[in-house]
Amino acid sequence: MVGMPHDCLANPLGAVRLTFEKAVASGYDPAVLQGKDWGTAELFRQFLFDDDCLSQVPMLSPSTLKWVQPNTLVRFRGMIQDMLGNEFYVGAYKDGDTWRTNKFADSSHSPINTSLDMQIWERRLLYCIPVPGQNFWVESLEEAVKNTHTNLISPKREKRPREDEAILGDVDMMREDGLSSEPLTTMPQTVTGGTFSNVSSVPDTEINYFSCRIKIYDTAESEMKLNDIFEFVGVLTFDPEFPVDSVDCDGFTQSICEDELVHLPSSKVSWIHCIIHRKLAVNDFLSGPALELMPNTAKDLREALVGHLTTVLGNDWVAAQYMLLHLLSRVHARVDSVAVGKLSLNLTCLGKDSMSVFGRNLKFAIECLLPFTRTLPITINYLNTISLTPKKDYNTNRLVFGFLQLTEGSHLTIDETQLQAGTLDSTGVDNARVLKNLMESQTVEYDFTYYKMEMPVDVQLLILSEGKSHILPADLVLPFRPSSVEAPLTVDEETLKAWRWYLGMMKCLSHSIDPDVQKVVEDDLVAARRADRSLGSLDFSRLLTMGRLMSISFGESHLSKEHWQMVKELETIRKERLQEI
Amino acid sequence: MAPGSPPSRNNGGPSSPYDSESSPIGNTVSTPGGPGRPKRGRRSSYDTPPQPLSGSRFATPGTTPPSSGANTRRGRGRRSSAGPTGAATPSSTDDAQPSSEAGDADEDEAPPMYVWGTNISVQDVNAAILRFLRHFRENPHQTEGKYMMAIHNVIEIEGDSLDVDAHDVFNYDSDLYLKMVRYPLEVLAIFDIVLMDMVGRIDALFEKHIQARIFNLKSSTSMRNLNPSDVEKMVSLKGMIIRCSSIIPEIRESVFRCLVCGYCCEPIVVDRGRINEPTICGKHECLSKNSMTLVHNRCRFADKQVVKLQETPDEIPEGGTPHTVSLLMHDKLVDAGKPGDRVEVTGIYRAMSVRIGQTQRTVKSIFKTYIDCLHLKKTDKSRVNAEDPMETENGVSGKDKEPVFEDKVEQLKELSRQPDIYERLTRSLAPNIWELDDVKKGLLCQLFGGSALKMLSGASFRGDINILLVGDPGTSKSQLLQYIHKLSPRGIYTSGRGSSAVGLTAYVAKDPETGETVLESGALVLSDRGICCIDEFDKMSDNARSMLHEVMEQQTVSIAKAGIIASLNARTSVLACANPIGSRYNPRLSVIDNIHLPPTLLSRFDLIYLILDKADEQTDRRLAKHIVALHFENPENSEQDVIDLPTLTAYVSYARKNIHPKLSDEAAEELTRGYVEMRRRGNFPGSSKKVITATPRQLESLIRLSEALARIRFSEWVEKNDVTEAIRLLEVAMQQSATDHSTGTIDMDLITTGVSASERMRRENLASTTRNIIMEKMQLGGPSTRLLELLEELKKLIPGEVHLNDLRNALTTLSTEGFVAVHGDSVKRV
């Protein structure tokens, strides 16, 4: 247990103790400061970031879990799935005349004698899971920054389509282990029809994969939100005692203590006492800032990407344009209940045949481009059985994961082509309503039994359907017109990286409008409305969102007249297509 | 409180084996050891073994002295049953201070005792409590103290608890209040002793134990803010019960019997959460070892229950999940709340250490926290709690305002004094919906509401203002509705298409488990005292709409089915919005035809706004500008000078709760004048036709609107300006909605009967002309005439179009007069 003074990696607690002693020596009074940080964070920040040792810290995953030692430094990346509340612990106690601390540890080294002076401090508990819908390449990128200890860590992901493996030979092979391969019984069509054969990465209604519990210190509550992605670096501990605990407690203890832990299988109970954490945005999952933002690079990349999408979409250039805008969209502001910036796309005219070809290609293309994607094939039966929204289970006092608990910036493809006439029961109606809400206001209601809580989300929604989807009113409805069926070309990893970077960076560009362009836009809108009284604020909103996305797709932060013109032309083509039906 | 009825709520102590942490109340000690030690320290009573005596957390003079944590150190020879009183003065942890002072709570001769680790003297507290109980009066005229009366009352009904309003304590003796909140364990124990003592003096035969139940603390904490410094303090929390455990019988006293000789030992009382099982038979002749066995039905048990309380949704910050906290209920409090209830709980926040294993003494360094519940107040059974912002009644008296709240009130008042407050509020209402200022003003009035009036005779006049918005698609009606729904916490949002009559009002359902019929409230009942927003009003089934008649005027919902006859309050304002028939407003048709709602229902709306999408470049441009701004500007800085949502809500709720404007004479005069003017307006100079312009319903609407306007200004008096504005609002709404398109005047008939006055004039005209024709052309009892012939005649006499239908109508009128008889196509004079 006693390590070198500064071996933060193998003996982080030693380092913590050391700093604590130093702090006390220099006047830090544990009784007054209520556990406020005494310099630990600083030490570790320096160690991890300034000395660049972050990559040496093993990443916690099912495979590494087997060999990492308790009480060493580990890190974990995941989404906050649930917050388990606060915990009071003996933060510091007096052992004789010296103060000792329990911070970042589960129990003290010397048995706590109640006659000692002690300080009760507070820490927060979080329950984290790997980001839902994380794509295979995300993990492999992390591996590129290989840490020294590891043998190869298999990326964890639900499953990965077999037929794609050839294409991405250079990516680490997926481990097709038991974790992921149970097919979902609720989706017969994916098994039998085979039209959308790679949907197997769809709904785990339960999270049955790796999860991690985190204890957080010294952090304002407002800093962490549900569904945020964080990287936690901290001390790993196991909780060997608690199985005993839960066996035979009298009723009283059980009901008071009975909290999250009791209901988790014991093998999973590991805790990270977080010392340093940082919030990750989608971009942190992309390979480094390899490229610089130049108007030309953006333009070239855009062209290449549109070309790729065009191929994927059977030579439908218009659809590819729309797809690009769609992939770039994000909710950049919320005004009242209106989510500004969302651009959901509904590709119609996808029959069973075309779906089997294009649906799969498209899905794969999107998976390669965005870090977090999920697919939701809806059928009557499926809607009636699945639980889309997270739900609080008061028996276990846990928030049960629902399909729609997605992190900011996820992409969701909803495949409506399998939907047939039938009766929705109350669950189904509820689910349909939830989806509709998600489309319209980008919010998901979490079910707390006695009330519902609306959580804002930012999810890109793509609907594939045969006719215009009425259950799911998308911002854009575009009839799909493929003219050729080509197998999409293999794309090498470097190009993919560049495209991912492009999508990630452009998405975040800030945007503004010049007064003269604004004038033009306003005039256009007024004129359009005069020509067609049925145009409403929704249509205007859509046009402006498209305008914004169009110009950022060129890497520009101002809307220019040309781009505005392009948007109008696109819309004209789309209108024509709509009328042809 | 503690002295619970029997065993007292000492729950904590004994029950949790973990007392290692729970500071027993034993911690009052005689001076010597006492003061000076840091407070934390008291967790371990000094020379007692590590685990302090479990002490009941309130020393409770239990009937059974037992738990009286006091006595007993290890040896704890349960001091036999001391009398009810005082068994345990809270003090007496130590031997020095044995139960000597049992009998009398205010013994003066004893050396001063202090609450452990503080300089609070037990005697002082004792005296302070006694003073408070004896002398506190709510107003000086009362001859007997409030709590003396309450105590007598409790004795009379043989109750077992006395509710003590913490505000009273504060008002009487703020020092005592502070001590009570900071050292609840100790002070409450003393409180109970004092109480027992008083009861004993009043009625020596009264054997039950009366606990003090403190409630209504000056400040309540949010669950989120509970932190280690609150441990062992008295706290008050609001929340929603989400789970109740089953009732746990907790052993308080046990009796053992020797298997060999049958000898039963004296009842053994729980000590520190455990029973010391005798290993040797107590009978001298027997003395068998390990022969004692527990006799279950001679043991005494107390009820205990663990309840989980969760934060209410409004306290959860964005992106957070609700926090929960465990409550420990005892005795009478068991089952006091059911899952789903919103409650306000007063109790003591406790932390308890967790043992590593059931059999081990070592504890983890983690504490589990819970609240020892002292008092539980259900906040309104139905749905909304007492501080419901939409509350109009003056129910909650002003005295219990927290300081924070008073600050806030001051701010609101400051706001209300601004001259342009009306305009500002209007601007702040749905700032992102541009234009529609008059509609917003109307909605503002609806939010504030008028005063409901209840006559002695039982007749009542509603104060709620109902508004109907009719308009073209895409005119952000729904957004307005959503906004109001958000603003009004009791609001219910429903869409007409999916609502059935019963869903809106109330329905009788069979409970699946018990088979009992139960009454389930629908949206309108649930939004009692709130605003019920009904979207797509026009798509609602006629059946459902007809249910609204009663709600909108009488403000009740009556139900008579399946053996249940009930009348439920539904004092709700209705905000409905509808699309005109055929989606777009057709200016050629009357409002009635456009809205296609029964006139009876329409007349119940105070304001009917037509939101028309006029082809107007100005509006279009503003719309375009607005949307461009929405997309390209930072929405935060684009609006200036608007009142944020929380303030707006607070403003509205304060006004509804506290401001009850009355009509000033001047205003009344203006009302009369305005009303007469409105009625008179129909009389065009030189026009003989009389158009009824306003009805008494409109007068009522006017009054309500002007009251609401006065409320907006926080004014107790309705002034002339309010009335003028109310008239203007009504006119703005009416002019749009009740313009008779053939005359251009306001025509209430259009609303009330669906026929405009000019139209009626025309019909009368037609009927009389027809009559003339028939008089002229036809013989009494002569041959019948065909309709078409009559029509020809009519066309000659009456300018303009005459349709066959018009003629039929006229003939129907005539035949009811008995003037003609109509058989199919032929008309006969009779």
Side-chain angles (χ1 to χ4, degrees):
Chain A
M1 211 72 270
V2 185
M4 307 224 313
H6 273 293
D7 189 358
C8 298
L9 210 55
N11 184 11
L13 287 177
V16 170
R17 241 186 346 256
L18 220 68
T19 51
F20 181 69
E21 278 157 21
K22 240 191 254 167
V24 172
S26 58
Y28 177 91
D29 184 0
V32 178
L33 286 171
Q34 290 291 316
K36 224 182 255 158
D37 185 45
W38 56 75
T40 322
E42 191 43 48
L43 172 74
F44 279 89
R45 191 163 290 133
Q46 195 181 353
F47 168 73
L48 294 173
F49 300 114
D50 299 354
D51 302 350
D52 232 5
C53 296
L54 184 62
S55 57
Q56 290 176 22
V57 182
M59 183 73 83
L60 205 60
S61 72
S63 56
T64 50
L65 194 60
K66 292 183 190 110
W67 56 264
V68 284
Q69 294 296 313
N71 293 327
T72 56
L73 209 59
V74 292
R75 59 189 174 128
F76 180 76
R77 285 180 164 195
M79 180 182 94
I80 301 178
Q81 195 262 320
D82 192 7
M83 297 172 170
L84 307 178
N86 297 1
E87 181 178 76
F88 289 4
Y89 68 104
V90 178
Y93 59 94
K94 230 171 188 170
D95 184 10
D97 276 339
T98 40
W99 281 101
R100 302 213 178 277
T101 183
N102 258 341
K103 204 172 169 182
F104 305 117
D106 260 336
S107 55
S108 58
H109 299 295
S110 56
I112 295 185
N113 187 327
T114 35
S115 65
L116 290 174
D117 249 344
M118 48 185 182
Q119 288 297 313
I120 303 183
W121 293 346
E122 191 179 14
R123 58 190 170 202
R124 301 211 299 133
L125 312 181
L126 300 176
Y127 187 91
C128 296
I129 56 167
V131 186
Q134 182 166 319
N135 282 322
F136 52 90
W137 53 266
V138 177
E139 282 298 317
S140 59
L141 279 175
E142 308 228 319
E143 284 312 293
V145 207
K146 274 277 186 1
N147 52 49
T148 51
H149 304 260
T150 10
N151 36 5
L152 207 132
I153 299 175
S154 323
K156 49 190 188 296
R157 202 183 61 99
E158 298 89 323
K159 193 167 178 183
R160 128 127 189 247
R162 279 162 218 274
E163 61 274 313
D164 309 329
E165 279 169 12
I167 306 173
L168 278 146
D170 51 339
V171 187
D172 291 326
M173 279 300 118
M174 282 291 305
R175 189 178 55 164
E176 299 268 354
D177 56 3
L179 261 186
S180 49
S181 43
E182 72 274 62
L184 244 125
T185 43
T186 46
M187 309 157 30
Q189 82 288 354
T190 59
V191 185
T192 53
T195 47
F196 207 161
S197 57
N198 50 356
V199 273
S200 42
S201 68
V202 200
D204 338 359
T205 36
E206 286 288 317
I207 348 163
N208 45 9
Y209 42 85
F210 191 65
S211 63
C212 189
R213 257 140 299 133
I214 316 273
K215 300 196 178 185
I216 297 281
Y217 300 80
D218 307 320
T219 308
E221 199 159 10
S222 51
E223 213 174 291
M224 301 191 149
K225 292 189 173 156
L226 208 60
N227 303 346
D228 279 355
I229 309 174
F230 275 91
E231 178 169 70
F232 303 95
V233 181
V235 186
L236 178 73
T237 60
F238 291 95
D239 204 351
E241 305 113 15
F242 98 80
V244 192
D245 227 6
S246 62
V247 179
D248 55 346
C249 282
D250 62 301
F252 173 72
T253 348
Q254 223 160 35
S255 34
I256 290 231
C257 309
E258 130 247 319
D259 49 16
E260 44 314 327
L261 303 186
V262 181
H263 302 272
L264 297 169
S266 59
S267 61
K268 285 185 175 175
V269 180
S270 57
W271 287 95
I272 295 180
H273 292 264
C274 171
I275 297 173
I276 298 236
H277 61 88
R278 60 187 177 120
K279 189 175 172 184
L280 299 179
V282 172
N283 287 352
D284 292 308
F285 288 87
L286 308 172
S287 55
L291 300 157
E292 259 183 61
L293 178 55
M294 306 264 285
N296 274 340
T297 29
K299 213 174 206 165
D300 294 346
L301 281 169
R302 181 185 195 278
E303 210 151 284
L305 186 52
V306 169
H308 175 65
L309 288 173
T310 313
T311 333
V312 170
L313 289 166
N315 244 344
D316 186 343
W317 182 81
V318 179
Q321 290 280 344
Y322 275 104
M323 186 61 68
L324 178 70
L325 298 185
H326 163 67
L327 292 180
L328 280 169
S329 66
R330 79 184 164 101
V331 178
H332 63 89
R334 274 176 195 277
V335 182
D336 285 349
S337 52
V338 188
V340 185
K342 70 183 171 92
L343 192 71
S344 51
L345 178 60
N346 183 188
L347 283 185
T348 60
C349 301
L350 275 160
K352 284 223 160 81
D353 329 333
S354 43
M355 194 58 200
S356 62
V357 186
F358 297 110
R360 201 183 57 214
N361 290 345
L362 184 59
K363 177 172 186 289
F364 180 62
I366 293 174
E367 262 173 23
C368 289
L369 289 171
L370 298 174
F372 313 116
T373 58
R374 301 210 80 177
T375 310
L376 179 71
I378 53 174
T379 60
I380 294 290
N381 189 18
Y382 188 53
L383 276 179
N384 282 341
T385 44
I386 194 185
S387 98
L388 284 177
T389 51
K391 194 171 180 326
K392 182 85 175 185
D393 181 346
Y394 286 115
N395 285 322
T396 56
N397 206 16
R398 287 267 291 106
L399 188 64
V400 179
F401 182 78
F403 187 88
L404 289 183
Q405 189 171 2
L406 298 168
T407 191
E408 202 170 286
S410 301
H411 184 277
L412 177 62
T413 309
I414 301 176
D415 173 14
E416 215 187 65
T417 50
Q418 308 288 332
L419 193 64
Q420 272 162 3
T423 319
L424 287 179
D425 62 17
S426 60
T427 325
V429 172
D430 229 31
N431 279 330
R433 194 181 50 84
V434 164
L435 284 174
K436 189 169 177 230
N437 268 354
L438 176 64
M439 300 290 278
E440 283 177 346
S441 55
Q442 292 273 327
T443 54
V444 175
E445 270 182 355
Y446 286 25
D447 186 355
F448 285 89
T449 310
Y450 303 103
Y451 52 87
K452 307 226 160 146
M453 218 161 79
E454 230 170 48
M455 293 277 186
V457 291
D458 177 6
V459 178
Q460 300 168 336
L461 289 153
L462 173 66
I463 294 104
L464 307 175
S465 62
E466 201 164 346
K468 181 183 175 229
S469 175
H470 285 283
I471 309 174
L472 307 165
D475 297 324
L476 283 168
V477 180
L478 177 70
F480 180 47
R481 292 287 149 77
S483 55
S484 70
V485 183
E486 272 175 58
L489 301 168
T490 337
V491 185
D492 66 81
E493 188 62 14
E494 276 314 304
T495 323
L496 275 177
K497 263 188 197 164
W499 286 344
R500 288 167 196 159
W501 173 85
Y502 164 80
L503 287 176
M505 290 309 286
M506 298 304 136
K507 220 173 165 181
C508 302
L509 280 186
S510 66
H511 198 71
S512 62
I513 188 168
D514 294 330
D516 55 327
V517 184
Q518 181 169 359
K519 180 87 181 58
V520 173
V521 170
E522 280 171 19
D523 287 344
D524 280 353
L525 293 183
V526 172
R529 191 164 157 78
R530 212 179 296 165
D532 181 358
R533 296 299 303 165
S534 67
L535 288 177
S537 52
L538 280 181
D539 304 84
F540 287 3
S541 266
R542 187 184 60 231
L543 275 170
L544 283 161
T545 306
M546 287 177 61
R548 186 180 144 271
L549 294 173
M550 183 63 84
S551 57
I552 63 170
S553 76
F554 285 96
E556 283 169 24
S557 57
H558 292 268
L559 180 61
S560 67
K561 284 182 196 162
E562 298 80 57
H563 297 151
W564 177 244
Q565 200 54 42
M566 288 174 74
V567 166
K568 285 199 295 181
E569 278 162 18
L570 266 181
E571 278 294 271
T572 321
I573 301 178
R574 189 174 72 93
K575 288 244 167 69
E576 276 166 13
R577 280 203 190 176
L578 276 174
Q579 265 150 23
E580 281 166 30
I581 300 174
Chain B
M1 51 202 35
S5 33
S8 84
R9 62 163 29 118
N10 307 323
N11 41 35
S15 43
S16 63
Y18 319 97
D19 8 340
S20 44
E21 199 309 282
S22 53
S23 78
I25 184 97
N27 36 12
T28 45
V29 293
S30 58
T31 352
R37 300 268 309 248
K39 182 171 160 253
R40 273 286 126 115
R42 77 195 151 99
R43 197 148 286 130
S44 54
S45 52
Y46 50 92
D47 59 348
T48 39
Q51 267 96 1
L53 28 42
S54 68
S56 38
R57 55 210 50 224
F58 312 105
T60 90
T63 312
T64 73
S67 50
S68 58
N71 49 1
T72 95
R73 307 173 21 100
R74 257 299 134 80
R76 97 155 233 303
R78 62 179 311 294
R79 201 121 307 201
S80 74
S81 35
T85 14
T89 42
S91 51
S92 66
T93 310
D94 43 339
D95 336 22
Q97 189 79 24
S99 56
S100 66
E101 64 218 8
D104 207 346
D106 39 356
E107 55 329 323
D108 299 65
E109 70 283 10
M113 299 212 315
Y114 291 92
V115 171
W116 222 90
T118 68
N119 56 358
I120 298 175
S121 149
V122 172
Q123 279 88 356
D124 286 355
V125 173
N126 207 325
I129 294 172
L130 205 58
R131 265 201 311 275
F132 166 71
L133 286 177
R134 285 205 179 128
H135 304 302
F136 177 78
R137 286 172 176 75
E138 269 183 325
N139 61 59
H141 310 298
Q142 277 168 321
T143 47
E144 205 176 0
K146 176 179 175 185
Y147 288 101
M148 289 312 285
M149 295 203 297
I151 290 173
H152 282 292
N153 212 10
V154 170
I155 293 175
E156 223 149 82
I157 59 166
E158 309 221 328
D160 54 11
S161 64
L162 174 73
D163 287 345
V164 177
D165 188 336
H167 274 86
D168 292 345
V169 179
F170 183 82
N171 292 340
Y172 189 76
D173 183 352
S174 58
D175 182 49
L176 176 63
Y177 175 84
L178 279 181
K179 283 178 185 158
M180 185 173 76
V181 172
R182 290 182 57 199
Y183 306 103
L185 296 175
E186 296 82 1
V187 174
L188 287 180
I190 302 172
F191 210 123
D192 287 340
I193 294 166
V194 173
L195 210 49
M196 286 310 302
D197 183 43
M198 291 183 77
V199 172
R201 287 183 192 180
I202 294 168
D203 180 357
L205 295 176
F206 192 78
E207 295 214 323
K208 279 176 129 178
H209 293 273
I210 299 183
Q211 304 177 356
R213 294 193 188 280
I214 311 288
F215 69 103
N216 201 6
L217 291 193
K218 304 249 338 149
S219 60
S220 74
T221 330
S222 117
M223 216 172 283
R224 215 155 264 279
N225 297 334
L226 285 176
N227 61 47
S229 66
D230 287 322
V231 171
E232 316 252 296
K233 299 273 161 50
M234 199 186 285
V235 293
S236 136
L237 287 180
K238 289 206 180 79
M240 182 188 266
I241 296 182
I242 50 165
R243 270 185 90 201
C244 293
S245 73
S246 49
I247 299 173
I248 307 162
E250 185 184 43
I251 199 160
R252 315 301 302 189
E253 244 181 27
S254 55
V255 172
F256 290 88
R257 190 177 57 192
C258 174
L259 284 176
V260 177
C261 65
Y263 164 80
C264 286
C265 70
E266 290 271 296
I268 295 174
V269 174
V270 174
D271 173 29
R272 240 166 286 147
R274 47 183 7 213
I275 300 267
N276 285 349
E277 185 182 345
T279 48
I280 301 179
C281 175
K283 205 169 167 192
H284 292 300
E285 298 85 68
C286 178
L287 289 179
S288 324
K289 285 191 177 167
N290 298 328
S291 65
M292 302 302 280
T293 176
L294 191 70
V295 188
H296 281 280
N297 42 14
R298 290 191 56 192
C299 297
R300 260 181 352 95
F301 296 90
D303 285 347
K304 195 172 64 173
Q305 188 179 33
V306 176
V307 169
K308 291 249 175 203
L309 195 68
Q310 189 178 61
E311 270 179 315
T312 46
D314 40 309
E315 285 176 10
I316 304 165
E318 199 201 318
T321 57
H323 279 201
T324 53
V325 68
S326 299
L327 304 178
L328 198 53
M329 305 285 204
H330 292 276
D331 302 325
K332 279 285 148 66
L333 286 177
V334 166
D335 272 350
K338 301 253 170 330
D341 285 349
R342 286 178 189 234
V343 294
E344 186 179 346
V345 163
T346 310
I348 302 173
Y349 194 45
R350 324 255 319 178
M352 138 186 118
S353 53
V354 184
R355 278 201 266 175
I356 286 173
Q358 182 66 23
T359 49
Q360 284 153 293
R361 272 261 165 222
T362 19
V363 292
K364 286 200 233 176
S365 61
I366 296 171
F367 292 97
K368 291 291 164 199
T369 53
Y370 61 91
I371 289 178
D372 240 335
C373 193
L374 297 178
H375 187 274
L376 179 134
K377 185 168 93 187
K378 264 195 229 182
T379 43
D380 195 335
K381 200 140 176 31
S382 59
R383 209 175 96 76
V384 183
N385 49 41
E387 47 159 19
D388 170 15
M390 295 308 279
E391 195 66 63
T392 21
E393 295 303 284
N394 208 355
V396 195
S397 52
K399 64 171 179 175
D400 50 348
K401 262 170 240 137
E402 300 147 31
V404 190
F405 187 57
E406 269 156 21
D407 279 1
K408 187 101 204 198
V409 167
E410 214 28 66
Q411 267 178 28
L412 294 180
K413 283 190 176 148
E414 183 60 34
L415 203 60
S416 74
R417 278 193 282 272
Q418 298 192 359
D420 63 338
I421 181 66
Y422 181 47
E423 300 298 327
R424 264 189 86 177
L425 286 172
T426 312
R427 262 203 309 280
S428 316
L429 192 74
N432 289 296
I433 299 168
W434 67 101
E435 295 296 302
L436 303 181
D437 268 359
D438 281 322
V439 180
K440 285 185 189 174
K441 283 176 180 166
L443 293 178
L444 209 57
C445 288
Q446 184 180 36
L447 277 175
F448 283 87
S451 314
L453 196 62
K454 189 130 197 163
M455 294 291 188
L456 283 176
S457 61
S460 62
F461 294 95
R462 69 185 155 101
D464 302 283
I465 295 168
N466 299 323
I467 295 184
L468 174 67
L469 310 176
V470 184
D472 291 335
T475 42
S476 47
K477 296 183 303 293
S478 294
Q479 269 153 286
L480 270 176
L481 242 66
Q482 294 275 17
Y483 189 88
I484 295 290
H485 166 63
K486 250 199 231 161
L487 202 62
S488 142
R490 189 90 75 108
I492 295 259
Y493 183 92
T494 161
S495 172
R497 204 196 291 266
S499 310
S500 63
V502 291
L504 277 175
T505 55
Y507 54 100
V508 177
K510 271 232 157 58
D511 189 304
E513 278 176 26
T514 60
E516 291 169 25
T517 41
V518 289
L519 203 56
E520 298 273 351
S521 304
L524 286 164
V525 177
L526 285 178
S527 57
D528 184 27
R529 296 203 182 290
I531 295 181
C532 183
C533 303
I534 308 176
D535 207 346
E536 314 206 42
F537 198 60
D538 48 326
K539 316 261 186 327
M540 199 180 241
S541 73
D542 290 344
N543 193 9
R545 272 202 298 252
S546 66
M547 294 294 278
L548 287 170
H549 286 142
E550 182 192 355
V551 174
M552 290 177 63
E553 204 59 57
Q554 268 64 49
Q555 308 243 291
T556 53
V557 167
S558 304
I559 203 170
K561 60 177 81 156
I564 294 183
I565 298 174
S567 186
L568 306 171
N569 274 334
R571 291 156 294 186
T572 171
S573 309
V574 175
L575 172 59
C577 79
N579 283 128
I581 197 164
S583 300
R584 224 152 236 295
Y585 192 84
N586 182 347
R588 300 270 141 254
L589 297 175
S590 74
V591 187
I592 303 280
D593 293 335
N594 263 309
I595 311 172
H596 205 67
L597 288 177
T600 41
L601 199 52
L602 276 187
S603 70
R604 284 171 161 82
F605 285 101
D606 297 276
L607 293 170
I608 300 172
Y609 282 105
L610 275 184
I611 305 181
L612 297 187
D613 185 19
K614 299 188 193 105
D616 169 8
E617 189 179 329
Q618 282 295 315
T619 331
D620 289 353
R621 186 157 290 278
R622 270 198 296 267
L623 171 65
K625 259 204 167 58
H626 172 78
I627 292 183
V628 171
L630 195 67
H631 280 258
F632 288 97
E633 272 159 38
N634 193 350
E636 275 89 53
N637 55 25
S638 60
E639 302 134 16
Q640 34 356 29
D641 197 32
V642 292
I643 301 164
D644 60 73
L645 203 63
T647 319
L648 188 57
T649 322
Y651 194 92
V652 172
S653 72
Y654 180 81
R656 287 189 69 122
K657 214 186 274 181
N658 298 300
I659 311 288
H660 300 273
K662 295 176 191 54
L663 282 179
S664 65
D665 291 346
E666 203 186 10
E669 234 164 68
E670 176 68 16
L671 263 177
T672 326
R673 203 191 56 70
Y675 179 61
V676 170
E677 166 74 12
M678 281 173 86
R679 284 184 72 93
R680 200 175 48 78
R681 194 145 332 143
N683 295 332
F684 278 6
S687 150
S688 64
K689 63 176 178 169
K690 194 169 178 218
V691 182
I692 297 176
T693 324
T695 65
R697 271 215 165 102
Q698 270 62 51
L699 182 57
E700 281 176 33
S701 299
L702 273 183
I703 297 174
R704 278 190 286 268
L705 287 172
S706 15
E707 279 168 350
L709 288 164
R711 253 190 191 157
I712 292 176
R713 294 183 294 110
F714 278 14
S715 157
E716 286 294 345
W717 289 101
V718 178
E719 282 161 19
K720 193 175 165 190
N721 287 343
D722 299 326
V723 177
T724 324
E725 173 65 12
I727 294 174
R728 192 191 69 83
L729 277 181
L730 201 65
E731 254 165 38
V732 171
M734 288 304 156
Q735 250 158 14
Q736 289 170 342
S737 64
T739 306
D740 182 339
H741 293 289
S742 42
T743 65
T745 56
I746 300 174
D747 187 352
M748 281 317 297
D749 272 8
L750 199 60
I751 298 268
T752 44
T753 66
V755 182
S756 78
S758 64
E759 172 74 17
R760 212 171 42 198
M761 187 77 97
R762 206 172 81 89
R763 278 192 201 165
E764 274 165 22
N765 201 2
L766 200 73
S768 65
T769 321
T770 315
R771 185 202 308 261
N772 291 341
I773 295 172
I774 291 172
M775 293 267 265
E776 273 174 35
K777 306 267 168 179
M778 291 164 67
Q779 308 288 318
L780 195 67
S784 53
T785 322
R786 294 177 60 87
L787 278 181
L788 285 176
E789 292 171 22
L790 268 178
L791 193 61
E792 289 302 311
E793 294 288 333
L794 265 177
K795 279 184 178 164
K796 281 181 213 156
L797 290 174
I798 295 177
E801 285 279 284
V802 181
H803 289 285
L804 192 56
N805 263 344
D806 296 332
L807 177 60
R808 274 188 207 281
N809 281 337
L811 285 174
T812 317
T813 319
L814 292 181
S815 66
T816 51
E817 288 172 14
F819 185 65
V820 291
V822 184
H823 299 288
D825 246 5
S826 55
V827 184
K828 206 170 177 180
R829 190 175 160 194
V830 286

